[in-house]
Amino acid sequence: MQALDTQTTIAVIGAGAMGSGIAQVAAQAGHRVYLHDQRDGAAEAGRDGVAKQLQRRVDKGKMQQQDLDAIIGRIQPVANLDEVADAGLVIEAIIEDLDIKRELLANLENLCTGDAILATNTSSISVTALGAGMKKPERLVGMHFFNPAPLMALVEVVMGLATSKAVAETVHATATAWGKKPVYATSTPGFIVNRVARPFYAESLRLLQEQATDAATLDAIIREAGQFRMGAFELTDLIGHDVNYAVTNSVFNSYFQDPRFLPSLIQKELVEAGRLGRKNGQGFYPYGEGAEKPEPQTEPAHQSDETVVIVEGNPGVAAPLIQRLREAGLTIVERDGPGQLRFGNAVLALTDGRMATERAATDGTSNLVLFDLAFDYSKASRLALAAADQTSEAAVSNACALLQKAGVAVSLLADRPGLVVMRTVAMLANEAADAALHGVATIADIDLAMKAGLNYPEGPLSWSDRLGTGHVFNVLTNIQNSYAEDRYRPALLLRKNAFAQKGFYS
Ligand code: NAI
């Protein structure tokens, strides 16, 4: 399907944060853009805001003044809705309210030409429900941009029950022509990103609630071992707890209160306290004048005279860590075994979702210390460790010393199932697998959405393939056993792939 050509006029209704950004994207792509807002002066203010943003680029020498003038010249504020009648694509980005959006869509249907496409930027309302009152719901499609629209590459092209395939394909092709990375999604709660990302916040919140460690340490582990841009607490402070908590509640309630999406009491309390994050100076962290962000818990230097690491069995994804230890001057001895490292009296193993205490007792392993997943063990600057209750202090110290010899900072956590990065990634992959099974989007589009919409270092399903579906399935099964909670139940597709010994892409 062809993209709309630049001769097609685009209309954007609602000139707030999103509408202005979308108008900028369309104008930068060469379209004439009508910008309408019911508030007097808002459309002009939206256009001025775009000019201000672009001026910064001109000042930095990244854009020519004449290009800025041309883009701004193409954005035309219009006072009356009637003036958008000849637009070929109308994108609404007004207040998130079903009835108000329905009324707008009814008006647009009456005044726009029969072949005009109507698109909604809604992030939480069903496109099917929005189309229900329309004469021709097949011409309504979701065109879900991410904030800030000019910078974020992802556009979810959301198909309601009645959306015509041709309409969705035209919008998909148009988003591509605008330099975006579009993905198709069916109109299900949270679409792709706002659904699949829930565990990213939920698992850190849960670990904080269970006093695994503090917020700054969890954030540091997610960044430095997981290679995510931000930890869950930094990110929710930035998003605003009111907004993030509302999305969680919306997804939870839309899925008939499936425990998988259970909101967090800690976040509820922050909202109740008015600690909304950066925007009002206090969230998990303080942001006022002179406020200092707390340091993550980092183990002091541990000494060990040991020089030999015995690698028992296949280290799997942790193989680059062995290489780092070798490069640090340690002697590596390989022999058969269950996939673990021995350093002096310490036994180190990658978490399989069981608490160290339970695993040590069940497997009869003395002095067990579990380590967390890293996105890339050859680069991770920090790793989380958790020791079994039965493990001696000397063994814990040896385990810390070993990682420190490889230049890895160690955060020692209380013994909780699945540690931090492993648990988060397993739950992200689980949600992604469930979304794929339910036909929300293709496997490739889900991974693309999580990378382009949230800057994840890797799509959860390709990450799961790298870890081995069997390992992810084990981790989830073990976490589910630990809590006896439905929240951690492995998704059917993950379970099936684990038994078929295959990945999502193979
Ligand atoms: P906003 O509050 O910044 O802007 C909304 C604008 O719509 C306001 O200027 C308001 O005057 C105008 N408006 C309200 N009712 C109107 C009507 N009947 N006709 C014309 N104009 C009307 O809101 P924001 O953040 O730009 O969100 C807009 C839409 O985009 C919502 O549906 C929201 O869910 C969605 N969205 C928001 C994202 C975000 O991060 N803020 C991300 C993706 C989607």
Side-chain angles (χ1 to χ4, degrees):
M1 194 57 74
Q2 294 274 308
L4 295 172
D5 66 28
T6 50
Q7 298 307 307
T8 309
T9 303
I10 310 297
V12 179
I13 316 297
M18 292 307 293
S20 304
I22 296 167
Q24 177 184 333
V25 170
Q28 271 177 327
H31 295 267
R32 188 158 71 111
V33 182
Y34 297 134
L35 185 56
H36 170 75
D37 197 289
Q38 69 175 16
R39 240 178 339 115
D40 274 353
E44 288 77 5
R47 184 188 54 182
D48 294 349
V50 172
K52 224 168 149 185
Q53 286 291 328
L54 294 179
Q55 189 61 51
R56 284 195 207 136
R57 304 203 62 200
V58 172
D59 294 346
K60 286 185 192 158
K62 290 183 174 168
M63 184 184 239
Q64 301 286 327
Q65 183 67 43
Q66 73 241 40
D67 292 334
L68 180 155
D69 294 341
I71 291 165
I72 297 305
R74 285 197 286 271
I75 302 179
Q76 188 182 330
V78 294
N80 297 310
L81 191 63
D82 303 7
E83 294 175 70
V84 310
D86 66 342
L89 167 63
V90 184
I91 306 167
E92 76 76 16
I94 66 164
I95 184 170
E96 189 77 340
D97 179 294
L98 175 66
D99 291 334
I100 299 177
K101 283 194 194 285
R102 271 187 172 157
E103 189 186 326
L104 172 69
L105 290 168
N107 289 337
L108 288 170
E109 255 199 319
N110 286 333
L111 64 93
C112 292
T113 58
D115 57 356
I117 294 175
L118 305 184
T120 172
N121 184 47
T122 182
S123 42
S124 63
I125 301 175
S126 151
V127 174
T128 302
L130 283 171
M134 291 174 62
K135 282 183 241 163
K136 281 173 64 185
E138 58 273 20
R139 66 155 136 171
L140 178 70
V141 63
M143 194 173 188
H144 186 212
F145 289 83
F146 287 73
N147 193 11
L151 295 184
M152 298 303 292
L154 182 65
V155 175
E156 290 178 332
V157 177
V158 184
M159 289 171 294
L161 201 56
T163 304
S164 112
K165 199 163 167 252
V167 163
E169 285 175 359
T170 303
V171 163
H172 190 282
T174 303
T176 304
W178 292 359
K180 297 296 177 191
K181 291 186 175 158
V183 293
Y184 289 110
T186 54
S187 180
T188 46
F191 312 138
I192 303 172
V193 166
N194 278 340
R195 171 203 181 150
V196 175
R198 294 328 320 143
F200 182 78
Y201 314 107
E203 293 313 313
S204 280
L205 282 160
R206 178 83 182 241
L207 285 162
L208 184 67
Q209 187 146 4
E210 292 175 353
Q211 304 186 71
T213 181
D214 55 51
T217 307
L218 287 165
D219 276 350
I221 293 164
I222 287 284
R223 262 188 285 106
E224 296 176 38
Q227 250 169 263
F228 290 88
R229 292 260 176 101
M230 283 181 156
F233 305 110
E234 296 155 331
L235 184 54
T236 47
D237 269 6
L238 181 67
I239 294 169
H241 291 285
D242 48 345
V243 174
N244 189 261
Y245 182 64
V247 176
T248 302
N249 272 286
S250 158
V251 172
F252 176 59
N253 288 317
S254 302
Y255 279 105
F256 309 111
Q257 310 204 333
D258 187 323
R260 219 133 106 171
F261 303 110
L262 194 73
S264 156
L265 277 177
I266 290 193
Q267 196 173 34
K268 178 171 186 268
E269 195 176 29
L270 280 186
V271 174
E272 286 170 349
R275 296 187 179 189
L276 303 182
R278 269 175 196 261
K279 62 185 167 191
N280 68 354
Q282 175 77 54
F284 282 106
Y285 304 112
Y287 295 96
E289 271 285 303
E292 277 182 31
K293 199 170 162 194
E295 289 294 321
Q297 186 273 334
T298 305
E299 281 298 299
H302 288 258
Q303 304 303 326
S304 172
D305 298 334
E306 302 291 340
T307 55
V308 179
V309 184
I310 302 170
V311 179
E312 296 183 324
N314 185 352
V317 287
L321 187 60
I322 315 295
Q323 183 55 24
R324 273 174 88 169
L325 295 170
R326 188 176 282 124
E327 283 162 13
L330 290 156
T331 305
I332 308 293
V333 176
E334 294 179 19
R335 65 183 190 208
D336 284 348
Q340 59 191 24
L341 314 181
R342 284 184 187 273
F343 189 58
N345 58 347
V347 176
L348 290 94
L350 175 66
T351 174
D352 67 0
R354 285 178 290 175
M355 285 183 286
T357 304
E358 182 176 344
R359 180 162 162 182
T362 313
D363 297 357
T365 312
S366 325
N367 288 325
L368 181 64
V369 180
L370 297 180
F371 62 88
D372 199 3
L373 177 64
F375 172 73
D376 178 353
Y377 286 97
S378 72
K379 296 206 180 79
S381 55
R382 176 181 301 273
L383 267 183
L385 291 184
D389 280 11
Q390 309 90 314
T391 300
S392 73
E393 263 178 46
V396 174
S397 184
N398 256 337
C400 293
L402 177 65
L403 293 180
Q404 288 170 342
K405 283 178 194 290
V408 179
V410 174
S411 291
L412 197 55
L413 306 194
D415 184 19
R416 304 288 179 264
L419 283 119
V420 185
V421 181
M422 180 65 89
R423 174 165 164 162
T424 302
V425 170
M427 284 295 277
L428 287 170
N430 203 36
E431 202 48 55
D434 202 56
L437 182 73
H438 290 222
V440 173
T442 63
I443 282 163
D445 271 4
I446 293 172
D447 274 351
L448 173 61
M450 303 315 286
K451 284 188 292 174
L454 294 174
N455 292 318
Y456 282 5
E458 182 168 6
L461 295 170
S462 104
W463 199 336
S464 170
D465 277 8
R466 208 153 56 77
L467 275 172
T469 324
H471 188 75
V472 177
F473 175 67
N474 264 344
V475 166
L476 288 165
T477 306
N478 286 330
I479 298 177
Q480 189 195 20
N481 286 340
S482 302
Y483 288 108
E485 274 180 47
D486 230 14
R487 166 190 174 117
Y488 295 102
R489 68 189 186 272
L492 202 65
L493 184 59
L494 188 89
R495 185 182 184 93
K496 187 164 157 289
N497 283 352
F499 281 102
Q501 298 192 339
K502 64 179 192 184
F504 292 97
Y505 288 92
S506 55

